[in-house]
Amino acid sequence: MTPHLSRRTLLGLAGAGAGAYLLSACSGDDKSGDPNAPQTINWWHIQNTEPMLPVWAAMANEYKAAHSNVTFTIQPLENEAFKAKLTTATQAGDPPDLFQSWGGGVLKQQVDAGLVKDLTDDVKDLVAGILPAAMQPYTIDGKIYGIPFDIGMVGFWYNKELFTRAGITETPTTWTGVLDAVRKLKAAGITPVALAGKDKWPAHFYWSYLAMRIGGVDALQKAVDSKNFDTPDLVAAGERLKELVDLQPFQKGFLGAEFGSPDGQAATMGNGNAGMELMGQWAPAVQASSSTSKKGLGDKLGFFPFPSVDGGKGAATEVFGGGNGFAVGKDAPAATIDFLKFLLSVENQKRSAQTNAVLPTVKDATSAISDPNNKAVAEALSKNTGFQLYLDQAYAPALGQQINDSVAEIIAGKKSPAAIVKDITQVAKTA
């Protein structure tokens, strides 16, 4: 899911978003395991805009300077473009050497297909210093197949100035309170909610959180285990979401909006044109990079966790989210794992944290978190009593995609909450 989805690329890395950025010419490539042989690491990531794009590039340059036999081919890609390109590569049995991963069901499918390396023995010392919750999505059948560099949660990011103008004096603590805030924002002539309807995955955050708040975090696990999403709690989640949709809270043209495009969800927030958005820990950075000023809302931006639902069984301390990490392709050269360790060093994790775009996973780097909103996210995450990975990553790809598609149908008014759980169940039975 996640971050830095603007289609712009940093000046000086021309063509990075569309093709490959070579740090130096390739003088040969050896994947035999000889650490001193010429090696080229093909690295795909989704930090395709500031602030992390230049940070990753700098780290690769630093590693190359210390390892003269190593070169890089780097492809920074927009989120959806990345997923499409990776699908093509994995179907061909030719994954990149180092690539973005959110873990979960997608990673398991790659593991089952023999496309990624088992990192368990190589990263024992590194993992000892990483937050345990961050490792869960990358640990499959007791073995480690990926390393997270970022961890966080989805919550509401709101414009303090617009809330004040609408007469909202306190952030909502219940779903009813969210709906009331939407009504007040509309009454004040303010677009209440920014949403990337075209991308679909941002909308699935709402249904997933409502399912957790109504049925508890176990409701989703029971549904996937039993291959049955047609339950009263999950239907109710759609009904609560429809309450929001019926208020017509989203910006004009939201059904065609992407997350990180110049007129998309993040830009709508970053330019001060909406009251709030439901998004992960990367939201402030993408709001800033997508905004006209390139600064976003600054101290006008606030954060609050997804609230409880009256009568629901789920606690407000159960969180929905995940992080960003990297997996290593099956034929990656020997230096790839060493470079991954370099990216996750305490020093480099602190550098990443200082951009305010990354919440570090290395315990000794968490002191570098300085942004008040990032601290609020980290604090809420530290108090969690249950954790659910994004559904389109936690589940098998076909099931995750169906959830995204089905929630989009509620958002667009095309299907009822009762109908979409039947569609999801049908896919769950075969996924």
Side-chain angles (χ1 to χ4, degrees), residues 1-282:
M1 266 7 57
T2 85
H4 318 321
L5 309 182
S6 167
R7 301 201 184 270
R8 295 182 299 277
T9 53
L10 183 68
L11 183 64
L13 299 183
Y21 168 50
L22 276 68
L23 288 178
S24 68
C26 300
S27 57
D29 193 12
D30 187 297
K31 297 189 178 184
S32 65
D34 180 358
N36 297 313
Q39 300 173 55
T40 300
I41 298 173
N42 186 14
W43 180 20
W44 296 7
H45 65 73
I46 63 168
Q47 320 299 10
N48 70 314
T49 186
E50 292 190 58
M52 282 303 296
L53 177 62
V55 173
W56 283 149
M59 290 180 187
N61 271 317
E62 290 163 14
Y63 187 85
K64 179 183 175 299
H67 302 81
S68 59
N69 63 315
V70 177
T71 58
F72 289 84
T73 301
I74 306 178
Q75 295 198 45
L77 296 159
E78 181 270 335
N79 190 2
E80 296 305 305
F82 163 80
K83 288 190 285 188
K85 190 176 180 71
L86 183 66
T87 297
T88 300
T90 53
Q91 286 175 346
D94 187 26
D97 300 319
L98 185 66
F99 61 94
Q100 166 79 29
S101 175
W102 295 278
V106 176
L107 180 59
K108 185 179 188 304
Q109 190 175 69
Q110 293 163 352
V111 170
D112 291 344
L115 296 173
V116 293
K117 285 185 181 292
D118 177 353
L119 305 176
T120 309
D121 292 336
D122 294 307
V123 298
K124 283 181 179 178
D125 292 342
L126 176 62
V127 168
I130 293 179
L131 297 167
M135 286 302 307
Q136 290 178 10
Y138 303 90
T139 305
I140 298 170
D141 297 329
K143 295 183 178 180
I144 296 168
Y145 293 94
I147 296 294
F149 65 83
D150 171 56
I151 182 66
M153 60 180 283
V154 173
F156 278 104
W157 299 90
Y158 73 103
N159 187 316
K160 297 176 183 178
E161 186 176 78
L162 296 184
F163 266 47
T164 298
R165 189 186 306 171
I168 304 168
T169 57
E170 295 182 354
T171 55
T173 58
T174 66
W175 182 245
T176 299
V178 170
L179 301 179
D180 286 343
V182 166
R183 294 186 184 97
K184 289 179 179 178
L185 288 162
K186 287 197 73 171
I190 299 165
T191 297
V193 181
L195 183 67
K198 182 179 179 180
D199 281 345
K200 297 183 180 180
W201 57 265
H204 108 280
F205 292 169
Y206 287 90
W207 184 81
S208 304
Y209 248 134
L210 287 165
M212 290 170 59
R213 294 294 185 259
I214 292 167
V217 70
D218 291 340
L220 290 168
Q221 188 61 50
K222 289 177 181 176
V224 74
D225 288 345
S226 65
K227 300 183 183 297
N228 178 30
F229 285 74
D230 190 0
T231 66
D233 286 342
L234 300 188
V235 172
E239 291 171 345
R240 298 289 82 75
L241 175 55
K242 190 173 182 299
E243 292 175 347
L244 175 67
V245 174
D246 288 347
L247 294 177
Q248 299 183 343
F250 309 121
Q251 81 275 19
K252 183 178 180 181
F254 75 93
L255 287 175
E258 298 171 328
F259 176 54
S261 60
D263 59 351
Q265 176 176 332
T268 300
M269 277 297 297
N271 288 326
N273 295 326
M276 55 183 157
E277 68 168 337
L278 183 63
M279 192 46 61
Q281 66 275 12
W282 56 86

Side-chain angles (χ1 to χ4, degrees), residues 6-10 49-51 260-262 267 270-271 284-298:
S6 167
R7 301 201 184 270
R8 295 182 299 277
T9 53
L10 183 68
T49 186
E50 292 190 58
S261 60
N271 288 326
V286 190
Q287 288 174 15
S289 65
S290 302
S291 68
T292 303
S293 68
K294 305 302 180 200
K295 296 180 180 179
L297 296 178

Side-chain angles (χ1 to χ4, degrees), residues 157 160 284 298-303 370-378:
W157 299 90
K160 297 176 183 178
D299 59 9
K300 295 178 184 177
L301 184 66
F303 173 85
S370 59
D371 179 76
N373 286 319
N374 281 348
K375 286 183 176 181
V377 172

Side-chain angles (χ1 to χ4, degrees), residues 404-423:
N404 284 352
D405 291 345
S406 290
V407 174
E409 288 178 317
I410 291 181
I411 296 289
K414 293 181 177 179
K415 282 197 175 181
S416 70
I420 69 118
V421 294
K422 290 179 171 58
D423 293 341

Side-chain angles (χ1 to χ4, degrees), residues 298-368:
D299 59 9
K300 295 178 184 177
L301 184 66
F303 173 85
F304 63 93
F306 197 96
S308 62
V309 173
D310 292 335
K313 297 186 282 288
T317 49
E318 293 175 345
V319 302
F320 179 82
N324 297 277
F326 290 115
V328 177
K330 62 182 177 66
D331 295 322
T336 308
I337 296 175
D338 188 59
F339 175 63
L340 179 56
K341 292 178 181 179
F342 174 74
L343 291 178
L344 270 289
S345 68
V346 173
E347 178 186 352
N348 283 335
Q349 275 269 280
K350 286 183 176 180
R351 288 169 65 185
S352 297
Q354 287 164 358
T355 67
N356 295 325
V358 167
L359 286 177
T361 57
V362 173
K363 298 172 189 175
D364 290 343
T366 56
S367 60

